[in-house]
Amino acid sequence: MTKTVSVVMPCLNEKETIGICVENARKSLELNDLPGEVIVAENGSTDGSRQIALDKGAIVVDVKEKGYGSAYLGGLGSANGDYIIIADSDDTYDFFEIPKFIKKLNEGYEFVNGNRFGNLWSFKTLPVIHRYFGAIVLSSFLNIFFWTGLTDAHCGMRGITKEALKKMGLKCTGMEFASEMLIKAKRAKLKTTEVEIKYNPRSEGSKLNPIQDGIRHIKTILKFYFNRID
């Protein structure tokens, strides 16, 4: 039986890139004969992003509660696919690489993480502080407490089965959602792997605050480790 695919992306004021992301995601599904849908989790944009997404053929889910995790929780809650691919809507991830994730899911893996570090050009495109603190340091910190076996713990492009998603019980509403996914994938004993992907620099610069967001990730990891959070 052919599996259906939901591509879910969060969006907050991404008018310059949301259109091409939706367009490329839909083309990728079509070119690879993957039946599915593209869902944009709209988190309160005021720049016209919502209408652009609709015009490009996306299903738009309005999420009132602010936050990266909140947007994903809203989008994932509306996903109908057997397989779910998540990625940011800032055109840093290549949606034509979706088949890499689908291939692994078809092989029986339940959670597939992207790996930006395997591609030297992609690694160099990350801002220095994101490259060494936001990526390498935080990935290492996560693996000290929860050995995931994954290289790039904060890659924003991932694939998961719908059934595996149900087992995880995701709750985090901020950027720490990325760490929560890996921790709960580990706790749920999901069959996990990673695939090398490309990463493009964000044209307008990153919206992330690597120090502030990094501290939130560290606090979340410690809370999970000491069982102070579900």
Side-chain angles (χ1 to χ4, degrees), residues 24-50:
N24 286 347
R26 294 188 68 204
K27 283 182 180 177
S28 184
L29 295 181
E30 292 171 8
L31 288 172
N32 292 282
D33 296 320
L34 296 169
E37 60 189 3
V38 176
I39 296 175
V40 171
E42 170 53 51
N43 206 205
S45 297
T46 57
D47 66 349
S49 294
R50 185 182 190 282

Side-chain angles (χ1 to χ4, degrees), residues 154-225:
H154 292 92
C155 179
M157 191 171 191
R158 297 169 171 176
I160 188 170
T161 68
K162 185 66 174 292
E163 290 306 309
L165 180 65
K166 292 176 182 178
K167 297 177 184 177
M168 296 167 76
L170 300 170
K171 297 178 181 179
C172 289
T173 60
M175 292 303 300
E176 64 274 17
F177 177 84
S179 292
E180 181 193 20
M181 282 194 82
L182 299 193
I183 293 169
K184 288 192 171 177
K186 175 72 173 182
R187 285 186 170 179
K189 298 180 180 180
L190 302 183
K191 187 178 181 182
T192 302
T193 191
E194 62 185 4
V195 293
E196 181 182 311
I197 63 168
K198 301 173 186 175
Y199 182 83
N200 299 308
R202 182 180 166 86
S203 60
E204 298 179 355
S206 177
K207 289 182 177 180
L208 302 179
N209 183 322
I211 302 300
Q212 181 178 319
D213 290 330
I215 291 172
R216 290 184 67 171
H217 280 292
I218 289 171
K219 286 182 177 179
T220 299
I221 292 167
L222 291 175
K223 285 179 180 178
F224 273 113
Y225 184 75

Side-chain angles (χ1 to χ4, degrees), residues 18-79:
I18 186 64
I20 191 65
C21 287
V22 171
E23 192 173 283
N24 286 347
R26 294 188 68 204
K27 283 182 180 177
S28 184
L29 295 181
E30 292 171 8
L31 288 172
N32 292 282
D33 296 320
L34 296 169
E37 60 189 3
V38 176
I39 296 175
V40 171
E42 170 53 51
N43 206 205
S45 297
T46 57
D47 66 349
S49 294
R50 185 182 190 282
Q51 190 58 50
I52 294 172
L54 285 170
D55 291 343
K56 291 295 183 178
I59 297 169
V60 175
V61 176
D62 293 307
V63 182
K64 293 183 179 180
E65 185 178 357
K66 297 295 185 183
Y68 180 81
S70 294
Y72 264 129
L73 290 172
L76 292 170
S78 299

